[in-house]
Amino acid sequence: MAISSNHTNLRDIWYTMIGIPGLEDAHIWISIPICSMYIVAVIGNTLLLFLIFTEHSLHEPMYLFLSMLALADIFLSTVTTPKMLAIFWLQDGGISFGCCVSQMFFLHFIFVAESAILLAMAFDRYVAICYPLRYTNILTPSVIGKMGIASVIRSFFICLPLVFLVYRLTYCGKNIIHHSYCEHMGIARLACDSIKVNIYYGVIVALFSTCLDVVLIIISYALILRTVFRIPSQDARLKALGTCGSHVCVILLFYTPAFFSFFAHRFGGHNIPLHVHILLANLYVVVPPTLNPIIYGVKTKQIQEKFIHIFSVSKKLC
């Protein structure tokens, strides 16, 4: 795509990502927990996928949605962390415009898809508690598959315009990205013309995808709580709430830092240092993928039993 002679051809643009501004001297130390969490995230979620797909007793709606979440977590951390570590270890922050846009697309695509998966998991808990006798009839394998496909299609069509929005802009020499990975507004702010459309679309996406998902999740849990508190037995109430515990922890882990970053960028930019924003953004792509399989492993008895069985078999083989 050619631009006027005063500006740079998009094919020739190379950016330099500087990691965490102001903390360059601490990059090596910061990389140690990030690398450790990335390894745990990949191994933990891969093991979770292996358990779910090889154990017939785990072929239930809740665990099928969990397998989608595990797959999304692997992709979320892998899209960003290897390049992040290259910056921290090798000062290799160079990236072409095309690769930067690709990373941006897949980052936002996975985020929106994971949000939809969490909504589907909330619906699963709603059906399980509010309509237990119809649970298997409502959430059939076909319905679960369609929900997964719908999550991917929705995310694709929401995030695809971001690519066109950054490609339409004119770039004229600014090539330093004060971040460890490429995201939509980070690229747009390097342009030398108006980015109002990018800003408006970013807000619209946040409102009608992530925020809408959160509202629907809250409604689901309001209906769940209403049903639970009508159960006469206290033990039954606690058991019903216990089945939601893992999902609630994962929801808080996923959305809390995302909304903090969103509101901090727009309303607290002068009060919160840039390095704090970037450090939180770096941790965000590794902490939830690391903790999600641990949370489900600790709180879900069936997964605990399968883990213990695998380890006991491994010890016998050794």
Side-chain angles (χ1 to χ4, degrees), residues 1 3 8-13 97-98 166-169 171:
M1 176 178 175
I3 312 176
T8 308
N9 191 300
L10 293 182
R11 293 173 298 180
D12 299 327
I13 293 177
F97 181 83
V166 294
Y167 263 96
R168 75 178 181 87
L169 296 172
Y171 300 87

Side-chain angles (χ1 to χ4, degrees), residues 109-236:
F109 169 78
I110 296 165
F111 178 86
V112 176
E114 187 158 340
S115 179
I117 293 168
L118 290 175
L119 174 59
M121 294 174 79
F123 178 70
D124 166 76
R125 291 299 83 202
Y126 165 73
V127 175
I129 292 174
C130 299
Y131 301 97
L133 299 179
R134 298 175 56 195
Y135 181 63
T136 54
N137 291 330
I138 294 174
L139 288 173
T140 63
S142 174
V143 170
I144 294 168
K146 289 175 182 177
M147 290 172 72
I149 293 170
S151 300
V152 172
I153 292 174
R154 185 192 78 150
S155 182
F156 177 81
F157 282 108
I158 286 174
C159 296
L160 185 62
L162 297 176
V163 176
F164 296 102
L165 287 175
V166 294
Y167 263 96
R168 75 178 181 87
L169 296 172
T170 302
Y171 300 87
C172 49
K174 292 185 287 185
N175 65 345
I176 301 296
I177 297 179
H178 297 278
H179 211 312
S180 305
Y181 52 80
C182 298
E183 46 88 27
H184 174 229
M185 290 310 300
I187 299 175
R189 288 194 180 101
L190 297 176
C192 50
D193 49 10
S194 175
I195 60 170
K196 285 185 178 180
V197 175
N198 299 70
I199 294 172
Y200 293 151
Y201 188 76
V203 173
I204 290 170
V205 166
L207 288 175
F208 290 97
S209 60
T210 310
C211 290
L212 180 60
D213 290 346
V214 171
V215 170
L216 293 175
I217 288 171
I218 291 172
I219 292 172
S220 297
Y221 273 96
L223 295 173
I224 287 170
L225 289 174
R226 186 184 68 174
T227 301
V228 167
F229 288 122
R230 288 178 176 176
I231 299 174
S233 168
Q234 183 177 357
D235 291 338

Side-chain angles (χ1 to χ4, degrees), residues 13-305:
I13 293 177
W14 276 78
Y15 293 132
T16 299
M17 293 185 287
I18 63 173
I20 305 175
L23 296 179
E24 288 85 356
D25 293 338
H27 276 176
I28 292 294
W29 297 107
I30 295 170
S31 71
I32 294 172
I34 288 178
C35 181
S36 302
M37 285 187 285
Y38 175 62
I39 293 170
V40 172
V42 172
I43 294 174
N45 285 291
T46 301
L47 186 56
L48 199 57
L49 283 169
F50 174 78
L51 280 177
I52 292 170
F53 284 108
T54 57
E55 294 292 337
H56 184 72
S57 61
L58 297 180
H59 291 179
E60 299 177 8
M62 173 183 171
Y63 300 109
L64 294 177
F65 286 126
L66 180 56
S67 69
M68 296 179 195
L69 181 68
L71 191 61
D73 280 338
I74 292 173
F75 287 142
L76 179 65
S77 56
T78 301
V79 162
T80 53
T81 309
K83 184 62 180 179
M84 192 189 303
L85 294 175
I87 297 169
F88 293 159
W89 289 341
L90 308 172
Q91 291 76 52
D92 181 17
I95 188 169
S96 68
F97 181 83
C99 290
C100 194
V101 173
S102 297
Q103 187 185 55
M104 173 209 76
F105 170 77
F106 285 110
L107 173 67
H108 293 297
F109 169 78
I110 296 165
F111 178 86
V112 176
E114 187 158 340
S115 179
I117 293 168
L118 290 175
L119 174 59
M121 294 174 79
F123 178 70
D124 166 76
R125 291 299 83 202
Y126 165 73
V127 175
I129 292 174
C130 299
Y131 301 97
L133 299 179
R134 298 175 56 195
Y135 181 63
T136 54
N137 291 330
I138 294 174
L139 288 173
T140 63
S142 174
V143 170
I144 294 168
K146 289 175 182 177
M147 290 172 72
I149 293 170
S151 300
V152 172
I153 292 174
R154 185 192 78 150
S155 182
F156 177 81
F157 282 108
I158 286 174
C159 296
L160 185 62
L162 297 176
V163 176
F164 296 102
L165 287 175
V166 294
Y167 263 96
R168 75 178 181 87
L169 296 172
T170 302
Y171 300 87
C172 49
K174 292 185 287 185
N175 65 345
I176 301 296
I177 297 179
H178 297 278
H179 211 312
S180 305
Y181 52 80
C182 298
E183 46 88 27
H184 174 229
M185 290 310 300
I187 299 175
R189 288 194 180 101
L190 297 176
C192 50
D193 49 10
S194 175
I195 60 170
K196 285 185 178 180
V197 175
N198 299 70
I199 294 172
Y200 293 151
Y201 188 76
V203 173
I204 290 170
V205 166
L207 288 175
F208 290 97
S209 60
T210 310
C211 290
L212 180 60
D213 290 346
V214 171
V215 170
L216 293 175
I217 288 171
I218 291 172
I219 292 172
S220 297
Y221 273 96
L223 295 173
I224 287 170
L225 289 174
R226 186 184 68 174
T227 301
V228 167
F229 288 122
R230 288 178 176 176
I231 299 174
S233 168
Q234 183 177 357
D235 291 338
R237 286 200 300 269
L238 292 174
K239 184 178 179 180
L241 289 173
T243 64
C244 300
S246 301
H247 186 235
V248 171
C249 291
V250 169
I251 287 171
L252 293 174
L253 195 63
F254 181 78
Y255 287 114
T256 302
F259 281 112
F260 173 82
S261 179
F262 178 82
F263 287 114
H265 270 296
R266 283 155 181 79
F267 306 112
H270 298 294
N271 300 322
I272 302 175
L274 179 61
H275 67 268
V276 175
H277 283 290
I278 306 305
L279 182 59
L280 289 174
N282 288 353
L283 292 174
Y284 178 69
V285 296
V286 288
V287 172
T290 301
L291 294 182
N292 286 351
I294 296 173
I295 289 170
Y296 272 98
V298 169
K299 287 186 170 289
T300 308
K301 185 178 179 181
Q302 293 93 324
I303 293 178
Q304 285 181 19
E305 292 173 350

